[in-house]
Amino acid sequence: MAPKFYDEIWQQEAKKTRVPRKHYEEYLKWLNRQEEALLVNKREEAEALFQQVGITFSVYGDGEGTERTIPFDIIPRVFPSREWTALQRGVEQRVRALNMFLHDVYHDKDMIRAGLIPADLIIDNTQYRPEMVGLDVPHRTYAHIAGIDIVRAGKGELYVLEDNLRVPSGVSYMLENRKMMMRLFPDLFSKIKVTPIAHYPDLLLETLIESAPEGVDKPTIVVLTPGMYNSAYFEHTFLAQQMGVELVEGKDLFVKDDYVYMRTTQGPQRVDVMYRRLDDDFLDPDVFRKDSALGVPGLMRVYKAGNLTLCNAIGTGIADDKSVYPYVAEMIRFYLGEKPLLNNVPTYMCRNEEDRAYVLANLKELVVKETHGAGGYGMLVGPAASKAELATFEALIKKDPSKYIAQPTLALSTCQTFVESGIAPRHVDLRPFVLSGKSIRMAAGGLTRVALKEGSLVVNSSQGGGTKDTWVINRRG
Amino acid sequence: MLSRTADHIYWMSRYLERAENTVRLLEVCYQTTLMTNDEDHTDYSWRSVLTTLEALELYEAEHGAVDADHVIEFIVNSKNYTSSIVSCVRLARENARAIRGTVTSEVWETINFTWLEINRLLKTPLLATNPTRFFEWIKTRSLQTLGAQEGTMLRNETYNFMRLGTYLERADNTARMLEIRFYLENAADDKRKLVTQLYHWTAVLRSLSGLEIYRQVFRETVDPKRVIELIVLHPDMPHSLAYSSRELERHLQKVRNADSAETLRLAGRLDADLRYTTIDEIFKAGLHEWLTRYLEKMDAIGKGISDDFLWQQVQ
């Protein structure tokens, strides 16, 4: 009873003859010529290289300072350029609307006043930051870096699973995976023309430069990291290095007279734009969490004075909250007057009585998520859950319904993956990154994550997920 | 450059240099003790090494009696001894990882590879069966790191702080190496004492990559006074005190800031001292006394660098 999933490589043909999709033909021709032993070798080489280059993440709560690599799969995820172009237009449209929504909820609240989204859902939400009300940010851009999670389901249509507008990570893996593929299989790239993505750091730098506070000519840009024991530290150093800017920690910075400075060997130097990889809560102990040793006391004062651009802005969490997600299509219609190009997953909001009744009656078929959750934590996958887990979630939902949403369990598409037992289908998703400053920029690619466990739908690296290189190719002929 | 970054770079270089010099020290002792079957002598030599490294107490607490195998194992592999080879490599790598974006990927990957590889090597019996090969491996890795730095780094502040760390550590370690004695000062047999002395200084020279240089410069047999002259005063020998002091001064000039005038003055005076002192003057003052003062001056310069530029001074 093999479940029927849309496969990225093979068309769903009956029985014996499997026909590859057009955009995979060239690659499969190449793959069929490779010995399995060689592929095993290459996989080991990739692991050794990731170790040597130090593309690792620190394992939390481990005194030994253990570092691990994220498993890398050598079979790429391929998009034909036509489909990619449509997808790109879709996510760009979405991010434009989300940025306008963010400006709106911190200013005139037009969408609420039009009755298109409940006021309490926004104003009473813990992700809503009253500190941001009335504050103007350059180009009205809040989410400079957005990671939009895309899945394919059903007969092959694409859905947006969630928008990540706080500190989305993973872009370094998009870039390093491509570098790794080119190093392992140079001949492959001479045969198939893959759209390059290596200029992403330039796009990011341009975005940060044009987001500088008004009147600042040559802005000093920094990347703010929580420090080397953060799981994404490699990415922080990587992006700072690629852009040629300083990588700072909170303790390198101080505030004086409404400006923020970094301590250098030649004395204090003013900072104008901060690509911060630190959550809102930790940014300024004077305003947010008092116990944060990672932030900079007084930072919010500088921000409010308009002397610093934070990328992303404070308070973007209100737009990627899972309880706000169902309204994104409405945002696109309301702010842009356009028809949404990408599908949303139907979502049941447990805060509504009718939805809640449906969710509780159909828990076994649904995926339940915490509205503020991320990283695959605090989630219930109904069909895979035990009786006890179902009972726990039933109680949780009844106790605090507004904390949960539910969605039908999507039949995520699969992509062939080189696992221990050989080449087998595994479920995948995709995170493309959208950059917004004065204008919108994107590289033709994203991070493909793959659930390495057979049948698993959870792709997060913290839950045993791996990654793949993502290709956009122009089909020839 | 961020003060914290400068601090990481400086300590990265110090730990790298310390690992190399500690291995050089182990090598001298190992080589000299191979040439004798006098147990007193061997015991004395390894004690001297531990004393020089300020590790005798910790060693005795962990192992008790002094014997070659345990001392080598301890100095290379102890997790508690913060200047053990494995600790130095780990700390160098930790510091490098913190600023991996500031150094070239060649430099980072060389250091990271040394770390990955030392962990693998220490799981093999190599150190017990063939310590010399292990010592050589460490030296080669150190030279590769220096080579990666010389060959790929922009000559900017990062490079200057790297070299400040290297030369401060090297000057300190070399001066300490000159202090060590592997022969019994009050041995009854003068002739035997003379022979071991000769072997000792030859080993010191070799461990500082100086034996060939010695032959080139003096074209005579190994004479302790000449050896010391070479290691202390030769302006162009990479491991001499004179060379290290000059480089220190030069790189300090490059990074100088509003606070560093006094440190620069100390470094400049030390450099001048070494340029215009003769070996006879040093012997007249007493080598031990002279070296003690030299180490004190180095300490003051090291403290100056920390206070003027680095992270410790912040808050």
Side-chain angles (χ1 to χ4, degrees), chain B residues 104-107 110 143-155 159 162-163:
Chain B
T104 56
S105 49
E106 285 88 345
V107 170
T110 311
L143 292 176
Q144 266 174 27
T145 309
L146 284 174
Q149 293 169 354
E150 290 300 316
T152 65
M153 293 288 305
L154 191 65
R155 288 339 190 226
Y159 180 79
M162 236 176 220
R163 288 295 81 90

Side-chain angles (χ1 to χ4, degrees), chain A residues 139-186:
Chain A
H139 315 301
R140 297 187 173 180
T141 298
Y142 289 75
H144 304 84
I145 298 100
I148 309 297
D149 288 352
I150 304 284
V151 295
R152 195 196 292 280
K155 294 193 172 67
E157 57 287 10
L158 296 171
Y159 291 87
V160 174
L161 195 59
E162 58 188 54
D163 309 288
N164 295 281
L165 308 178
R166 295 172 225 187
V167 282
S169 64
V171 79
S172 59
Y173 289 92
M174 166 180 101
L175 297 168
E176 288 294 343
N177 286 353
R178 175 65 52 81
K179 246 166 64 189
M180 185 59 73
M181 282 299 275
M182 294 178 85
R183 193 160 165 178
L184 295 175
F185 308 110

Side-chain angles (χ1 to χ4, degrees), chain A residues 51-54 56 58 67 228-229 233-234 237 241 246-249 251-252 262-266, chain B residues 1-4 6 93-94 97-98 100-101 103 108-109 112-113 116 157 255-257 311 314-315:
Chain A
Q51 282 278 359
Q52 264 173 50
V53 178
T56 55
S58 314
E67 291 162 30
M228 66 187 287
Y229 298 106
Y233 186 68
F234 163 71
T237 58
Q241 182 181 40
E246 290 286 358
L247 178 69
V248 305
E249 294 179 22
K251 59 193 177 189
D252 296 319
M262 55 182 168
R263 306 173 212 270
T264 80
T265 52
Q266 297 296 317
Chain B
M1 176 194 291
L2 286 180
S3 298
R4 183 176 51 84
R93 193 256 180 192
E94 286 262 289
R97 186 165 116 84
R100 57 179 290 169
V103 295
W108 155 249
E109 285 178 35
N112 191 41
F113 184 77
L116 294 171
E157 249 188 315
V255 298
R256 69 170 179 270
N257 66 15
W311 178 240
V314 177
Q315 284 158 356

Side-chain angles (χ1 to χ4, degrees), chain A residues 69-330:
Chain A
T69 57
I70 295 180
F72 167 69
D73 184 60
I74 57 178
I75 299 177
R77 163 87 176 276
V78 184
F79 280 93
S81 61
R82 257 185 62 189
E83 184 179 33
W84 178 264
T85 308
L87 174 62
Q88 177 161 347
R89 239 184 262 135
V91 288
E92 287 182 359
Q93 176 194 52
R94 202 166 167 101
V95 170
R96 277 208 310 277
L98 287 163
N99 269 313
M100 293 176 80
F101 171 74
L102 280 162
H103 176 79
D104 186 29
V105 296
Y106 291 120
H107 290 80
D108 298 340
K109 306 183 179 65
D110 289 340
M111 192 165 161
I112 296 175
R113 287 191 297 157
L116 295 171
I117 192 165
D120 67 313
L121 185 70
I122 304 301
I123 310 299
D124 300 340
N125 197 311
T126 53
Q127 295 300 315
Y128 186 74
R129 300 280 180 192
E131 295 86 356
M132 289 299 289
V133 172
L135 198 78
D136 291 317
V137 296
H139 315 301
R140 297 187 173 180
T141 298
Y142 289 75
H144 304 84
I145 298 100
I148 309 297
D149 288 352
I150 304 284
V151 295
R152 195 196 292 280
K155 294 193 172 67
E157 57 287 10
L158 296 171
Y159 291 87
V160 174
L161 195 59
E162 58 188 54
D163 309 288
N164 295 281
L165 308 178
R166 295 172 225 187
V167 282
S169 64
V171 79
S172 59
Y173 289 92
M174 166 180 101
L175 297 168
E176 288 294 343
N177 286 353
R178 175 65 52 81
K179 246 166 64 189
M180 185 59 73
M181 282 299 275
M182 294 178 85
R183 193 160 165 178
L184 295 175
F185 308 110
D187 58 314
L188 189 51
F189 287 85
S190 63
K191 289 191 186 69
I192 303 176
K193 290 295 157 230
V194 181
T195 313
I197 49 169
H199 60 298
Y200 175 87
D202 300 306
L203 299 179
L204 178 58
L205 185 60
E206 285 167 18
T207 302
L208 297 174
I209 290 174
E210 72 183 21
S211 301
E214 220 185 294
V216 176
D217 186 20
K218 282 196 176 133
T220 299
I221 293 163
V222 299
V223 176
L224 175 68
T225 174
M228 66 187 287
Y229 298 106
N230 183 272
S231 64
Y233 186 68
F234 163 71
E235 179 155 308
H236 307 161
T237 58
F238 174 85
L239 291 173
Q241 182 181 40
Q242 293 292 308
M243 292 191 289
V245 305
E246 290 286 358
L247 178 69
V248 305
E249 294 179 22
K251 59 193 177 189
D252 296 319
L253 303 170
F254 67 93
V255 169
K256 204 183 152 207
D257 303 333
D258 290 352
Y259 283 94
V260 61
Y261 298 87
M262 55 182 168
R263 306 173 212 270
T264 80
T265 52
Q266 297 296 317
Q269 188 186 341
R270 200 181 82 200
V271 173
D272 306 303
V273 180
M274 195 180 286
Y275 176 24
R276 48 98 171 202
R277 297 293 300 258
L278 189 62
D279 288 335
D280 288 356
D281 278 340
F282 297 97
L283 276 178
D284 182 349
D286 288 353
V287 180
F288 304 111
R289 274 178 64 158
K290 309 271 174 281
D291 60 340
S292 170
L294 302 172
V296 189
L299 196 70
M300 195 63 197
R301 213 166 66 231
V302 180
Y303 191 50
K304 280 190 160 168
N307 294 331
L308 173 73
T309 303
L310 288 171
C311 301
N312 293 350
I314 289 173
T316 53
I318 189 61
D320 72 5
D321 191 77
K322 291 187 179 69
S323 66
V324 173
Y325 164 89
Y327 297 92
V328 177
E330 199 52 53

Side-chain angles (χ1 to χ4, degrees), chain B residues 50-195:
Chain B
L50 288 166
T51 313
T52 304
L53 295 174
E54 294 173 359
L56 185 60
E57 234 174 86
L58 188 63
Y59 173 86
E60 284 178 332
E62 271 187 25
H63 295 278
V66 169
D67 71 83
D69 289 352
H70 282 110
V71 176
I72 292 176
E73 167 68 22
F74 170 80
I75 291 173
V76 169
N77 209 1
S78 170
K79 302 257 183 304
N80 300 327
Y81 174 40
T82 50
S83 289
S84 68
I85 306 293
V86 81
S87 300
C88 285
V89 174
R90 179 174 60 78
L91 290 166
R93 193 256 180 192
E94 286 262 289
N95 279 290
R97 186 165 116 84
I99 46 96
R100 57 179 290 169
T102 309
V103 295
T104 56
S105 49
E106 285 88 345
V107 170
W108 155 249
E109 285 178 35
T110 311
I111 295 170
N112 191 41
F113 184 77
T114 307
W115 167 242
L116 294 171
E117 199 60 10
I118 197 173
N119 285 307
R120 195 187 63 78
L121 280 178
L122 289 175
K123 286 190 190 107
T124 70
L126 178 69
L127 185 62
T129 54
N130 196 345
T132 309
R133 254 192 68 194
F134 179 81
F135 300 155
E136 266 159 18
W137 180 78
I138 289 283
K139 278 202 294 187
T140 308
R141 291 305 303 167
S142 180
L143 292 176
Q144 266 174 27
T145 309
L146 284 174
Q149 293 169 354
E150 290 300 316
T152 65
M153 293 288 305
L154 191 65
R155 288 339 190 226
N156 59 4
E157 249 188 315
T158 306
Y159 180 79
N160 295 134
F161 278 106
M162 236 176 220
R163 288 295 81 90
L164 283 174
T166 306
Y167 287 110
L168 196 97
E169 188 68 28
R170 185 177 293 179
D172 174 279
N173 298 171
T174 306
R176 284 171 198 274
M177 178 102 90
L178 289 174
E179 283 271 61
I180 202 169
R181 290 290 176 279
F182 296 125
Y183 48 89
L184 304 166
E185 295 283 4
N186 50 2
D189 181 350
D190 264 5
K191 200 171 160 210
R192 210 187 95 201
K193 185 176 153 188
L194 216 64
V195 173

